[in-house]
Amino acid sequence: MLHKTFCALVILSCFIVFPIAAQDIDFQNWSAGVNTVQPSVAIIGQLHVESFGAIGDGIADDTQAFRAAFTYARDHDLSSIDLSSGRKYKISGQIDIDYRGQGQLERRGIQLNGNGASIFLAVKNGDRGYYAFNILTDPRPQQNTKFNINNVWFYTDNQSRPNGVHNSFGNFVTLSNCVFYQLATAVFFEYAGMCRFDNCYFWGCVEGIRAYRCKDSYIDGCHAFACDKAYTIEGINNAGSDGNVCIVNSVGNGSTQYNLRMKGLYTPMIANCVFEQSPMNLSIESCQFGKLSNVFSGPGDIEFVSTGTDLTNDYWNIANLDAQGKVELNGLKFSNVTGFKVHGVGSANNIANAAVILNNCNEVNFAALTIRDSRDRLAWSMVVSPNCSSITISNLIADRSLLLKGAINQRQGLFLLSVSIINGNVSTDDKKYKRTEIFEYLDSGNGTFHSNKPVNR
C-alpha cells in the first residue's frame, strides 16, 4: 500500500509547476533575453508578438520582440502579426520591416493588426530620430507589395518625440484607424504608390503626413490637430510621375505653420475638407490639372504659389470654396473658379490690403464670387496685378472696390466684369482704362449702374 502511494505522488509531481519567487527575477532583463528566442514550434497563419517575448505592460522593452516577429513573418511567408487588445507595448528603437533583396515581391507583405493596442515610443541611447516602423523595399517601380498597419495608438511623452511610420518605395501600403500622438513626424512616405491613409488622427505632432514623390495615393477621413505641419505632399512637377493624389473628407486645424501644402503635383484633388485656425490653411505651389471642391477654410489664408513662368498652377477647377481669410492666387492659369466666397479677411500681414489678390494669372474665369468685408475695412475686395490678363468675372458681389494695378502702358488688359454688384467701383492707378477692360456692374452704395461697354460692340 505504501509503495502504491509513493508511485502516485511521483506521477502527480510531474504535472505540478512550482512558482519562482518574484524577487529572484530581473523582469526587464528576462524579457530582453527571451525576445531573441525563436518559437519552439513553427507558427502557421497569424502570429503574436507575445510568441517572441513581448510583455505589453508599458514597462518592459519589447523592441527585440517586434523585430523578431517581423523577421520571422518575412522568412516564413506569414501574412499577419497580432497585438493584444489593451496592451501597452514599449519600444526604444527602430523596427525595420525589411523586404529588400527579396526581388519583385509579387504581392507579399505583412499586416499588423493592432486590435486597439498602444505603442509607447521611448528613447534609448539618445536616439530620438528613429521610426517605430520603417518599411524597406527595393527601389523598383510598381513594387507589388502589401503592408497594412491598423488600429494602433502611437504615443510619446512629448519630450522624446521619435517618429511613427516610414515607407520607402513600398506600394499598396495602408494605414487605417491609427492615432499618432505628440510624435515628431507621424508618417513619412517617399517614392511610394497606391497608398492609403484612412481614418487616422494626428494630434500635436511636428508633422502629420509627409509624402515625397508618391503617386496614386489617397488620404480619406483623417484629422490633424495642433500639429506644426498637418499634411505635406510634394513632387517635382515632372509631367505626371508625381501625382494622382487625393485628400478627401479630412480635417486640419490649429496647425502652427500650415494645414495642407501641395507642391509639384499633377492631378491633385482636394474635396469635402475643412482647414482652419492656421496662419496658412492651404498652400498650393506649381501643381497642375487640379481640382478643389467643397472646402471650408477659416480662419487662415489660402495661397497659390508660382515658382517661375514654367512652373505655374495650370488647369484648375475650383468650386464651392468658403474662405475666412486672404486668398492670394499666383500663377493660376487656364482655370475656372465658381461658387467662391471670401470673408473675414484682416489687414494684418496683408500688403495689398485686399481680400483676393491676383498675380501672374492668365485665362481665369470667375463666376458666382462673393467677397465680404467682415473684419477690417479693407481698401479693396480684389487687386489685379499688371501681369494678369484674360480675366473674366461674372455674378460678383463685393463689399469694396476692385483695383487694376499698374499704369495703362503696363497692364496687359483683357479684363471683363459683368452682371455684378459692387459697393464701390473699378479703379486703376492712373484712372485710365484699356479698350480691352470692359465693365458692367451696379454700385450698391448709390444704386448707379456703370458700363464702359462700347455701343458698337
Side-chain angles (χ1 to χ4, degrees), residues 280 282-288 301-316 318 326-335 340 352 356-362 364 366 383-388 391:
M280 184 60 61
L282 179 59
S283 177
I284 297 174
E285 181 176 345
S286 301
C287 296
Q288 299 183 351
D301 294 341
I302 293 175
E303 66 175 6
F304 278 66
V305 181
S306 175
T307 53
T309 56
D310 296 328
L311 296 177
T312 52
N313 299 291
D314 296 351
Y315 303 104
W316 273 82
I318 301 172
K326 179 181 66 175
V327 178
E328 190 165 355
L329 305 178
N330 294 283
L332 186 65
K333 298 187 176 183
F334 321 118
S335 300
F340 188 8
V356 180
I357 303 163
L358 272 59
N359 183 52
N360 192 27
C361 294
N362 183 47
V364 182
F366 293 90
V383 168
V384 182
S385 297
N387 55 14
C388 296
I391 306 296

Side-chain angles (χ1 to χ4, degrees), residues 41-110:
V41 179
I43 299 174
I44 300 175
Q46 292 176 301
L47 56 85
H48 297 263
V49 290
E50 282 78 8
S51 300
F52 300 86
I55 305 302
D57 63 355
I59 300 173
D61 193 334
D62 296 322
T63 307
Q64 293 302 327
F66 275 83
R67 289 172 177 165
F70 279 108
T71 300
Y72 186 93
R74 180 197 65 197
D75 295 345
H76 293 81
D77 292 332
L78 299 180
S79 61
S80 63
I81 297 175
D82 272 7
L83 306 184
S84 296
S85 178
R87 295 285 180 90
K88 296 180 180 179
Y89 300 94
K90 175 183 174 182
I91 65 173
S92 60
Q94 188 159 286
I95 312 298
D96 286 337
I97 307 175
D98 194 348
Y99 281 73
R100 292 174 297 181
Q102 305 287 309
Q104 189 71 11
L105 292 179
E106 295 300 337
R107 294 169 295 281
R108 287 181 56 205
I110 195 72

Side-chain angles (χ1 to χ4, degrees), residues 256-277:
T256 61
Q257 295 188 36
Y258 56 78
N259 283 321
L260 172 61
R261 184 187 186 201
M262 288 182 165
K263 179 181 178 181
L265 304 178
Y266 266 63
T267 61
M269 184 176 76
I270 309 164
N272 307 325
C273 291
V274 174
F275 306 114
E276 59 179 349
Q277 303 293 339

Side-chain angles (χ1 to χ4, degrees), residues 135-183:
I135 300 171
L136 298 169
T137 63
D138 293 328
R140 299 168 179 263
Q142 303 297 318
Q143 179 70 286
N144 292 329
T145 63
K146 185 171 175 61
F147 298 99
N148 295 331
I149 299 174
N150 60 76
N151 202 11
V152 184
W153 184 303
F154 298 87
Y155 70 105
T156 68
D157 55 10
N158 200 25
Q159 296 177 359
S160 304
R161 296 176 78 87
N163 307 285
V165 179
H166 174 247
N167 171 36
S168 179
F169 295 103
N171 291 342
F172 304 106
V173 179
T174 300
L175 303 182
S176 59
N177 302 309
C178 290
V179 177
F180 300 88
Y181 180 69
Q182 293 184 336
L183 306 188

Side-chain angles (χ1 to χ4, degrees), residues 403-451:
L403 172 64
L404 305 183
K405 294 188 66 177
I408 193 167
N409 62 344
Q410 295 175 315
R411 300 195 308 276
Q412 295 188 40
L414 298 175
F415 183 91
L416 175 63
L417 172 69
S418 62
V419 196
S420 297
I421 301 174
I422 302 174
N423 185 13
N425 54 29
V426 178
S427 300
T428 64
D429 284 343
D430 58 1
K431 304 186 185 308
K432 296 180 181 179
Y433 301 98
K434 286 189 173 184
R435 290 177 56 84
T436 53
E437 296 168 348
I438 310 299
F439 316 119
E440 287 187 324
Y441 64 92
L442 176 67
D443 185 339
S444 63
N446 54 30
T448 304
F449 178 75
H450 296 268
S451 176

Side-chain angles (χ1 to χ4, degrees), residues 364-375:
V364 182
N365 301 312
F366 293 90
L369 172 60
T370 302
I371 307 176
R372 307 308 306 262
D373 189 13
S374 57
R375 182 183 296 179

Side-chain angles (χ1 to χ4, degrees), residues 197-198 209 217-222 231 233 246-250:
F197 309 91
D198 292 326
I209 293 177
S217 296
Y218 208 72
I219 300 171
D220 188 356
C222 292
Y231 307 103
I233 308 171
C246 300
I247 176 167
V248 299
N249 308 317
S250 295

Side-chain angles (χ1 to χ4, degrees), residues 209-232:
I209 293 177
R210 177 156 61 104
Y212 177 69
R213 300 208 63 181
C214 296
K215 62 180 296 185
D216 304 325
S217 296
Y218 208 72
I219 300 171
D220 188 356
C222 292
H223 188 171
F225 172 72
C227 298
D228 290 347
K229 306 171 183 177
Y231 307 103
T232 307

